[in-house]
Amino acid sequence: MLPIPKPAQDAKSVFDACTATAKPLTARTKLQALKDTVAKAAAEYDTAATNRALHKLTHLQDQPDGKPKKPGGINEQLKKTYTNRMVHKKSPGRDVYDQLLAEAPDGRCALCGQGIADTLDHQLPKTHYPLLAVTPANLVPACRDCNFYKGEQAPASAEKQTLHPYYDGQVHEHVWLFARIVGPPTPAVSFCASPPPEMPPLLAARVRHHFTTLKLARLYNPQAGPELRYLSRSLRRLPTAAINEHLREGAADWTAIEGPNSWQAALYRALADNSWYTKHGYLEPWK
């Protein structure tokens, strides 16, 4: 997860802009009448997200209709406020959509840190929380894979929530991403989430849930291949005694650039700690 500053856009103003020209007029009138309700829901969301308690917003589920799916109801209109009045290229809310996407670090998904951020993910799904459909703090720049894996399930508990890039930056105060090096006969590397004992239990549970839900091992494992082949060539130019220090410097550099829980930092830490690799494993033809 890549931490991002919380959006500065006001939820009520964004909702007002998205619905001020909605058609037909009957739908516009109903939507505009909900401006204060949306603002109140956004404020509750902010408080809950700050306290890692989004699962406690069950009173906002399926509101204001009170039913999951009511054809032609106001909930459907609220969801269309996002799809038709924010995502659409010529919609009144498109500027906000583009601004939120532009906050993605280097254009990358804030949830996995690797994919291209080409969509916005609803941290609380609009299917269950239509009042939050265009609330900026609920919209995270993401790749389509993470959006798909995360799905539309509402969190059932504090532990069953993916990490929130706007609110969970402190997760990187702990090192929890690790790489595992496998030696002969088939050298390989794999990644896992293993929070340290001193990490708060709730945050540790969310780290594991985030890693598993978004299938980050499946994403990171192939990324290591080219890096290992590059190292296999570059380390041959160094004296054997200098290899460990070179790898530790690499781990420190990647930590400074991408954070302690980037796959690159985890990989270099693991390689530096692996005596088989530093002595002769780097000579293997990593595939």
Side-chain angles (χ1 to χ4, degrees), residues 248-267:
R248 294 200 183 282
E249 288 176 351
D253 288 343
W254 278 117
T255 295
I257 296 169
E258 290 288 295
N261 297 301
S262 62
W263 69 264
Q264 298 97 328
L267 175 64

Side-chain angles (χ1 to χ4, degrees), residues 126-256:
K126 65 181 184 299
T127 299
H128 300 290
Y129 295 88
L131 285 172
L132 299 169
V134 295
T135 295
N138 191 42
L139 300 172
V140 173
C143 66
R144 296 187 184 276
D145 280 350
C146 283
N147 196 321
F148 174 78
Y149 291 142
K150 190 166 164 290
E152 296 185 345
Q153 294 298 314
S157 67
E159 294 78 10
K160 297 298 182 180
Q161 297 175 41
T162 53
L163 298 171
H164 200 314
Y166 298 146
Y167 295 89
D168 291 325
Q170 61 269 50
V171 72
H172 295 306
E173 294 173 3
H174 305 271
V175 177
W176 49 263
L177 183 66
F178 293 89
R180 183 181 297 111
I181 308 300
V182 178
T186 308
V189 62
S190 61
F191 293 87
C192 65
S194 182
E198 68 272 14
M199 195 174 195
L202 173 56
L203 200 55
R206 290 187 62 194
V207 161
R208 294 189 188 95
H209 180 73
H210 186 93
F211 188 85
T212 302
T213 299
L214 301 183
K215 304 182 188 300
L216 295 187
R218 179 176 176 271
L219 176 63
Y220 295 158
N221 290 351
Q223 302 287 337
E227 189 70 18
L228 286 164
R229 288 192 290 275
Y230 162 77
L231 281 171
S232 184
R233 294 176 63 87
S234 64
L235 293 180
R236 294 166 192 258
R237 306 186 186 104
L238 298 176
T240 302
I243 288 176
N244 186 275
E245 181 180 358
H246 178 81
L247 292 170
R248 294 200 183 282
E249 288 176 351
D253 288 343
W254 278 117
T255 295

Side-chain angles (χ1 to χ4, degrees), residues 10 26 34 37 63 148 165 194 206 278 285:
D10 174 68
T26 52
L34 290 172
T37 304
Q63 295 302 314
F148 174 78
S194 182
R206 290 187 62 194
T278 57

